[in-house]
Amino acid sequence: MSQSSILLTRIDNRLIHGQVGVTWVNHLGANLVVVANDKVSEDEVQQNLMDMVLPDTIQSRYFSLQKTADIIHKASPRQKIFLVVKDVHDALTLKEGGVPIDHLNIGNMHYEEGKSQISSTVSVNEKDIESFKRLGELKVKLDLRRVPNEKGQNILDLI
């Protein structure tokens, strides 16, 4: 697989929803959305609900993190992949597992107890910050932006 088969990797704890399934897919010209998440890879109900958001012309795959790392290199050049993960830790696991992620879009990380809100859609805790810094050390461009036409920010400038 050439690195260009992965058009973009996005952190969005909602995984596939309207913004991902329509706005980002159309902007990128993706024809395949790969969700890399251990829980969702085994939850057909959640997969079916997410598939309802995608246009009929867009395929989806739901893989565990390990399976994603094992098979992403076998993708056909015809597959224009939009890779979606639930959190920064999954992104780091994939990167350290050999998945060619050079650009990471941080779209949505919900607020919860113990997290600090750094933008309208992203909240982080110390463990998240450590993972983002590690990704930065691995030369991954870290771009916080909700939608394609929004001006992005390097998340390392905000944490």
Side-chain angles (χ1 to χ4, degrees):
M1 179 200 89
S2 70
Q3 277 189 240
S4 63
S5 289
I6 297 178
L7 303 172
L8 182 67
T9 302
R10 177 178 171 94
I11 295 173
D12 195 317
N13 59 328
R14 301 167 296 175
L15 300 172
I16 298 176
H17 55 93
Q19 212 172 61
V20 165
V22 179
T23 306
W24 278 100
V25 165
N26 288 338
H27 172 75
L28 295 170
N31 60 19
L32 174 63
V33 178
V34 173
V35 173
N37 181 268
D38 291 341
K39 283 185 183 174
V40 173
S41 70
E42 297 177 359
D43 186 340
E44 281 188 43
V45 172
Q46 196 171 359
Q47 292 173 22
N48 289 335
L49 289 171
M50 287 190 278
D51 282 346
M52 290 176 11
V53 175
L54 292 172
D56 292 340
T57 56
I58 307 300
Q59 294 187 320
S60 63
R61 300 287 183 275
Y62 300 90
F63 297 138
S64 68
L65 297 174
Q66 187 59 56
K67 184 168 183 177
T68 302
D70 290 345
I71 69 169
I72 199 80
H73 301 284
K74 298 174 184 171
S76 162
R78 294 184 312 275
Q79 292 175 311
K80 302 299 179 203
I81 300 170
F82 182 21
L83 179 59
V84 181
V85 297
K86 194 170 192 80
D87 59 39
V88 64
H89 314 292
D90 286 355
L92 180 57
T93 297
L94 291 175
K95 177 67 176 174
E96 290 179 335
V99 176
I101 298 171
D102 338 328
H103 187 104
L104 182 62
N105 166 246
I106 302 98
N108 201 8
M109 294 173 63
H110 285 317
Y111 177 82
E112 57 189 54
E113 189 71 33
K115 290 196 173 198
S116 301
Q117 190 169 353
I118 60 169
S119 80
S120 62
T121 59
V122 176
S123 297
V124 296
N125 60 24
E126 285 304 315
K127 190 175 175 195
D128 298 332
I129 291 169
E130 288 173 25
S131 293
F132 279 121
K133 288 180 177 176
R134 177 69 182 130
L135 284 162
E137 291 168 3
L138 294 171
K139 306 291 186 238
V140 176
K141 182 179 179 199
L142 302 169
D143 182 42
L144 190 154
R145 97 175 55 202
R146 291 176 305 131
V147 292
N149 62 355
E150 190 175 80
K151 185 179 186 312
Q153 290 183 279
N154 182 340
I155 197 167
L156 295 178
D157 294 340
L158 302 172
I159 53 178

